[in-house]
Amino acid sequence: MLITFTLFQIATYTIIDAQPGDIADLLTMDPNIPPNERDRLRQELGLDEPLHVRIVNYILNFYRGNLGLSFEEYPRPVIDIIGERLPRTIVLFLSASLVSFYAGFMTGKVLAWKRGGWLEYTSTIIGVGLYTVFVPWFALMMIWLFAVALDWLPAGKFLDPLDWIGAPISANAIFTRMIWTALGALTVMFVGFVLSNRAEPRNRPFIRVGSIILGLAGLLGYWIASGLSPYAWDITSHLILPVLTVAAISYGGNMLLTRTTMLETLREDYILTARAKGLPDKMIRDKHAARNALLPVWTGLVFSIGSSVSGGIITETVFSWKGIGRTLLNASLNADIPLAMGCLTVVGLMTLVGHLIADIGYAFLDPRIRYS
């Protein structure tokens, strides 16, 4: 991973540097500015050094925790910009990925189990349509439907500036609190589901529903008591529409992949053996077939989270969501090499970590891999 990551940094820096012009040309487009002023600016930004020297300096500074200063937002450090906008992208695409994964997996396994009939054909057509849809057009149609025609949700952006006049704390601070409180609520729900698996079957639904209610009640109670609920809701309302759009697009692929893998799994001999033993259909579907069909879907989920940083350029641009994807696009267009490299470095790092998580997850999902 370390060798791959280093080669990735060298390749991306070389490609970005190869584009014509640099930030000095963009900042000094006035023909009245003398050439020596352009040379002075290049020297100040370190652009006068050879390419290989700049690459080595960047890699060494990266491992010291220094990603440089943004040319476009000079003299703001790149790491501060990434620290501000990376959580926005992660929350957006992680929420959409989890929703689409759960909905697609549950739908796909049911369709494969009860194949044939109008429900399967209709769902397959819808899944293929969502999987192959033109993303910018679909995002604009979602904005038109929910923000213009129905006027249920905001059309885009991270927040409404008019509602934040006189806010006691910054939007980034409130967004950080939203992340931690949401993680706390999800932890309560997860613990409830784990404990329910150890309880008697008739008590499991009550424990799971109770954990969901407890987590949501704690989340709402905190924000109401803090007096910051209007600001948190403003950010949440701007988040709903992009999450729905990304989740709908990803749902098609997850559903089709689960259905196809389940159909292959249902032909295996151990499924026939489970039927011959007289096991309940629900146990055969969920414990035997669906768990083995989960491996490729799990791979797609983990990889999609790792690549969501770069893949969010279109979505974040359409919805004016100022995350890493939109930041990467603007930095590339403006020849802001430190900021573009910082964003691409995050992409490479998350992708490599995603591969590692996928490999480790295989061992927990499939005992055959763990034993071998």
Side-chain angles (χ1 to χ4, degrees):
M1 288 177 62
L2 182 61
I3 296 174
T4 304
F5 186 63
T6 303
L7 294 176
F8 170 79
Q9 288 181 306
I10 295 173
T12 51
Y13 196 104
T14 304
I15 293 173
I16 293 176
D17 185 76
Q19 63 182 349
D22 54 31
I23 191 67
D25 296 327
L26 295 177
L27 295 178
T28 58
M29 294 181 66
D30 189 347
N32 296 323
I33 296 178
N36 59 346
E37 182 62 22
R38 292 188 176 90
D39 295 337
R40 186 197 65 79
L41 182 59
R42 289 191 178 95
Q43 183 179 5
E44 183 179 341
L45 298 176
L47 298 175
D48 60 329
E49 297 179 347
L51 176 61
H52 66 278
V53 174
R54 284 182 282 140
I55 292 177
V56 172
N57 290 337
Y58 179 83
I59 294 177
L60 293 178
N61 289 331
F62 170 80
Y63 287 104
R64 298 189 186 105
N66 179 17
L67 300 182
L69 303 178
S70 171
F71 294 164
E72 186 181 6
E73 302 184 29
Y74 188 85
R76 191 178 181 189
V78 170
I79 194 168
D80 290 349
I81 299 175
I82 294 177
E84 173 190 300
R85 299 173 187 176
L86 180 60
R88 302 177 185 180
T89 298
I90 292 178
V91 169
L92 170 60
F93 287 94
L94 180 60
S95 303
S97 298
L98 293 178
V99 171
S100 63
F101 169 77
Y102 181 79
F105 180 74
M106 298 299 291
T107 307
K109 73 176 184 179
V110 171
L111 293 177
W113 185 258
K114 298 181 178 180
R115 64 173 310 183
W118 66 270
L119 181 61
E120 182 191 16
Y121 298 133
T122 304
S123 301
T124 302
I125 293 173
I126 294 175
V128 172
L130 292 173
Y131 183 67
T132 58
V133 71
F134 185 54
V135 176
W137 174 85
F138 184 74
L140 291 174
M141 290 300 100
M142 293 288 284
I143 293 175
W144 172 83
L145 176 61
F146 292 101
V148 179
L150 300 176
D151 195 21
W152 288 354
L153 298 169
K157 295 186 178 180
F158 182 64
L159 49 81
D160 188 353
L162 296 178
D163 294 339
W164 288 76
I165 298 177
I169 57 177
S170 66
N172 291 327
I174 290 183
F175 190 66
T176 302
R177 290 192 188 185
M178 291 173 59
I179 295 175
W180 286 112
T181 52
L183 288 175
L186 291 175
T187 302
V188 172
M189 298 177 191
F190 177 76
V191 172
F193 272 72
V194 172
L195 294 178
S196 67
N197 292 329
R198 301 179 180 180
E200 297 182 3
R202 66 173 181 271
N203 296 327
R204 290 176 183 175
F206 301 101
I207 298 177
R208 293 175 180 177
V209 173
S211 64
I212 294 175
I213 295 176
L214 181 62
L216 293 178
L219 181 66
L220 295 175
Y222 170 82
W223 285 107
I224 293 175
S226 66
L228 301 174
S229 55
Y231 304 106
W233 170 246
D234 182 54
I235 296 177
T236 303
S237 63
H238 285 80
L239 180 65
I240 293 175
L241 192 53
V243 167
L244 287 178
T245 302
V246 177
I249 296 172
S250 303
Y251 164 79
N254 289 326
M255 186 270 289
L256 294 173
L257 180 60
T258 303
R259 174 183 171 273
T260 302
T261 310
M262 274 283 292
L263 291 176
E264 296 177 356
T265 304
L266 291 174
R267 300 189 185 100
E268 297 292 338
D269 293 338
Y270 61 84
I271 300 296
L272 181 61
T273 303
R275 292 180 184 274
K277 291 168 62 177
L279 297 178
D281 288 348
K282 188 176 184 300
M283 180 178 292
I284 298 175
R285 184 193 68 188
D286 296 339
K287 299 294 184 180
H288 295 267
R291 184 168 182 177
N292 288 279
L294 184 62
L295 289 176
V297 185
W298 162 259
T299 305
L301 171 66
V302 176
F303 288 176
S304 66
I305 295 174
S307 61
S308 63
V309 176
S310 59
I313 293 177
I314 295 176
T315 305
E316 292 183 357
T317 301
V318 173
F319 288 99
S320 299
W321 185 265
K322 206 164 186 178
I324 287 292
R326 191 179 174 196
T327 302
L328 173 59
L329 176 62
N330 294 334
S332 301
L333 294 176
N334 296 320
D336 190 346
I337 296 179
L339 184 55
M341 275 301 303
C343 296
L344 289 171
T345 300
V346 171
V347 174
L349 190 61
M350 291 186 64
T351 302
L352 290 173
V353 172
H355 281 74
L356 179 62
I357 294 175
D359 290 341
I360 295 174
Y362 286 161
F364 290 94
L365 295 174
D366 192 343
R368 296 172 298 180
I369 298 176
R370 182 164 63 248
Y371 293 148
S372 61

